[in-house]
Amino acid sequence: MTESPWKEYDLSSTRRLSLRIGKLKLEAGVESGELKIRTMNLTPHLDVKGPAEGDEPEIGSGWHRWPLENQGHRLSLLPMFPDRPLIARTESPIHLARGNSVRVFVRVPVWVKISLTGERVVEMMKAPVVVLSKTWFGTFMEGELCYWLSTTARRRISSDLFRHHLVICPLQIRNGSDSELLLEEFCLRVAHLSIFADKEALWADETTIVFRGGEQTSSIQTSGRPPAEALEARLLIAAEQPGGETFAARTFRTLKAFSGFGSGG
Amino acid sequence: MSEWTLFGRQIGEFLTADEIKVLLRVVVFAAVGFPLVLMLTRLARRYVTRHYSPQQGMVAGKLIFYLGFTILAVSVLNELGFSLSPLLGAAGIIGIAIGFASQTSVSNIISGVFLIAEQPFVVGDLISVGSTRGYVLSIDVLSVKLRTFDNRFVRIPNEFLVKSEVTNITRFPIRRLDVQVSVAYKEEIGRVRDLLMQIAHDHPLALQKPAPDVIFSGFGQSSVDLLFVVWVTRQEYLALKYGLQEEIKRRFDEACVEIPFPHISLYSGSATEPFPVKMVEEKEE
C-alpha cells in the first residue's frame, strides 16, 4: 500500500514536488518568488475500476502561478468530494423487496484540494483525480447536472480495495415503498458527506436512504461520524452541508423510459 | 455696471417679476425632476432585476421612466399656466386620427404586452424566427431585439413574433445533438455502433443519461446512413457539436472505418464487373 498523499509538503527544501494520486499527476514548485502548480489527468473518463488499456497521452492544464508574499512554502493536499452529486450505476442491479434493506459500499474518486499553509491557509486550486463523465438527473424539462459513476455496489469491503484516492461510502438503503425497488441507479449527494481517514483508506460517514416509492423524494440521513468499519478514523474534511440531518431529495430515477429519443419523463 | 446686471435689466424689460418666478420654478422642476426620474428608473430596474428577472427589471424601469416623465411634463405645463382640459379634448380627436394612422404600432404594443405576459422567451434566450437566430437582447414596447452569432443586430416587430412560429432553443436545460454518420457498405454496423458509443462515453461534454444512441437511418446511394444522438447541456451544445464530429473523424481514421464520398459504379449487367476503362496513348508519327 502506497503512502497517503494527504499531508503537508515543505517546498522550501524541495525543488519540485511531483506526485501521482490515482490518475492525477501533480507537480508543484517555488521559483523566483512564485508558486507554480500543474495538474494533468491521465486517461480521461477513467472509471473507478482502472484504466481500460494502460495510460494514454496526458491531457490537462498547464502551469498556474501564484506570486508569494509572506505566505509560507508549505503545500497542503486534502481530499474532497466532487463538486456535484454523483449518479452511481450498479453493474448488477439489486432487487430490494418491500420493507427490506441492504447495505452497500460505493467507492468515489476524490478531488484534490491544494492549499498554501503559513500565516493563513490559502486555497490554490482543486483538481479531480479521475475525470468523471457527466449525466443528467431529472426530466427533459428540469433536473440537475451530476457526475456518472459505475460501481459494483459491494456488500462487503476488504482491504485490497483500499485506495488513497477513493472514498468508501457505506450506504444503507431501505425500501419503504409498497413495491419492489430495482436498485440500478441512485444519486449520491456527496455535499452532505464528511471524509474520514485511517491509515489505509478514506471513509465517508454512513448514509441511510429510505425509498418511499414512485416520484416521491427519498429520506436521506447521514451519520456525521466514521462508519463501523473505521471507528478510529479521524475527520479530514467536514461535509459542506452539515451531516446528521434528515433531508428529502430525489435519489432514484423513475422507471419511465428516459431514452435518448425524448420519450417518457 | 456689470454685464450680468445689464442682462438682468434687459430680461426685466420683457418679463414681469411673477413671470420670472414661474420660469425659475419650471427650471428647478426640470433640473431636479428629470435626474430624479432617471435615478428612480435605475433603482427600480436594479431592484426588480435582482429580485425577479432582467426582463421584468427592464419593463419596470421603462414604466417608471414614462410615468415619471409624464408627471414631470404635466407639472411643468401646469406651472406655465397651460390648462390641460382643452388639450385633452383636442387629444381625443387627434387620438382617433393617430389611431388610424398607427394601427401597426398599436398592434406591436399590444403584441408586446402578450409576449411579456406569455413569456415564450426571456432576455438571454436563444430563439429562432424564420431564418433568423439570435440571443434576445430586449423585449421592448414595439419590437424584440436580437444579437446573432455573427454579432448582427436584428429588430423584429412584436406583431410578427406573435403571428409567427418562434423556437426557443434554450428553454430547457438539456438538448439533443443529432449527427449524421455515413459509412461504407462494407463496414460492420455493430462495430461502428460500438465505436460511436465509446466516443460518446469518453467525451467530457456528452451526458450519459439520457443515453446516447445510434440509429440505422437507411441505405444511402453511396453509404449506410446512421443517426448518432447524444445529449448535452444547453450551454455546451456548440462545443460538443464541433468537438464530437472531429472526434468521430479521428476515431474512424484510427479504426480504419471508411466514410465514403459520393460515387457511382457502372455495371454492364446485373452482377458483372464494372466496365474496364483503358487509356490509350496516341502514337507519335
Side-chain angles (χ1 to χ4, degrees), chain B residues 2-139:
Chain B
S2 74
E3 280 183 18
W4 284 110
T5 313
L6 190 65
F7 180 69
R9 278 197 184 168
Q10 284 173 338
I11 296 287
E13 285 172 15
F14 291 102
L15 300 170
T16 63
D18 286 339
E19 284 170 346
I20 291 172
K21 281 181 193 169
V22 164
L23 204 61
L24 280 171
R25 275 206 293 271
V26 165
V27 167
V28 166
F29 256 127
V32 171
F34 197 64
L36 185 66
V37 166
L38 289 177
M39 191 179 73
L40 286 172
T41 302
R42 203 173 315 131
L43 281 172
R45 181 166 38 227
R46 207 179 293 163
Y47 177 83
V48 174
T49 300
R50 197 180 307 135
H51 288 85
Y52 298 94
S53 72
Q55 172 58 36
Q56 287 167 317
M58 203 176 291
V59 170
K62 283 188 169 27
L63 268 172
I64 298 290
F65 178 78
Y66 290 126
L67 197 63
F69 191 76
T70 306
I71 293 172
L72 194 65
V74 167
S75 304
V76 164
L77 286 172
N78 232 10
E79 202 58 42
L80 288 171
F82 287 103
S83 171
L84 291 179
S85 309
L87 275 176
L88 288 172
I93 300 165
I94 297 171
I96 293 169
I98 291 174
F100 276 110
S102 61
Q103 285 179 59
T104 305
S105 298
V106 170
S107 174
N108 278 323
I109 292 169
I110 294 170
S111 299
V113 171
F114 283 127
L115 284 176
I116 290 167
E118 198 184 77
Q119 290 201 329
F121 49 83
V122 296
V123 170
D125 278 348
L126 176 64
I127 66 170
S128 176
V129 185
S131 61
T132 303
R133 185 177 289 195
Y135 291 99
V136 177
L137 292 175
S138 64
I139 304 175

Side-chain angles (χ1 to χ4, degrees), chain A residues 44-45 89 131-137 139-143 145 148 185 253 258-262, chain B residues 171-174 176 201-213 215 227 229 231 233 236:
Chain A
H45 309 108
R89 181 176 174 88
V131 177
L132 296 173
S133 298
K134 293 178 189 173
T135 188
W136 188 252
F137 187 58
T139 68
F140 292 104
M141 287 169 287
E142 56 90 27
L145 190 62
W148 178 260
E185 286 175 11
R253 201 185 297 278
F258 194 42
S259 76
F261 280 88
Chain B
R171 167 57 66 91
F172 300 125
I174 56 175
R176 195 182 80 188
H201 180 263
D202 291 346
H203 200 286
L205 301 180
L207 298 176
Q208 302 308 303
K209 283 289 174 75
D213 208 348
I215 300 298
L227 180 63
V229 301
W231 287 81
T233 59
E236 293 169 334

Side-chain angles (χ1 to χ4, degrees), chain B residues 151-179:
Chain B
N151 233 27
R152 284 180 296 152
F153 179 83
V154 179
R155 178 187 177 278
I156 305 177
N158 291 336
E159 187 190 9
F160 181 78
L161 286 168
V162 166
K163 291 196 293 192
S164 309
E165 181 181 295
V166 175
T167 304
N168 188 337
I169 297 167
T170 52
R171 167 57 66 91
F172 300 125
I174 56 175
R175 287 183 64 190
R176 195 182 80 188
L177 173 65
D178 295 346
V179 181

Side-chain angles (χ1 to χ4, degrees), chain A residues 159-170:
Chain A
S159 58
D160 61 312
L161 297 167
F162 292 171
R163 300 284 185 278
H164 288 302
H165 65 281
L166 300 174
V167 183
I168 301 169
C169 303

Side-chain angles (χ1 to χ4, degrees), chain B residues 186-216:
Chain B
K186 69 180 178 64
E187 299 296 344
E188 190 194 325
I189 303 302
R191 179 176 157 242
V192 174
R193 177 180 280 121
D194 289 344
L195 192 54
L196 289 171
M197 294 300 280
Q198 190 61 41
I199 291 170
H201 180 263
D202 291 346
H203 200 286
L205 301 180
L207 298 176
Q208 302 308 303
K209 283 289 174 75
D213 208 348
V214 178
I215 300 298
F216 195 105

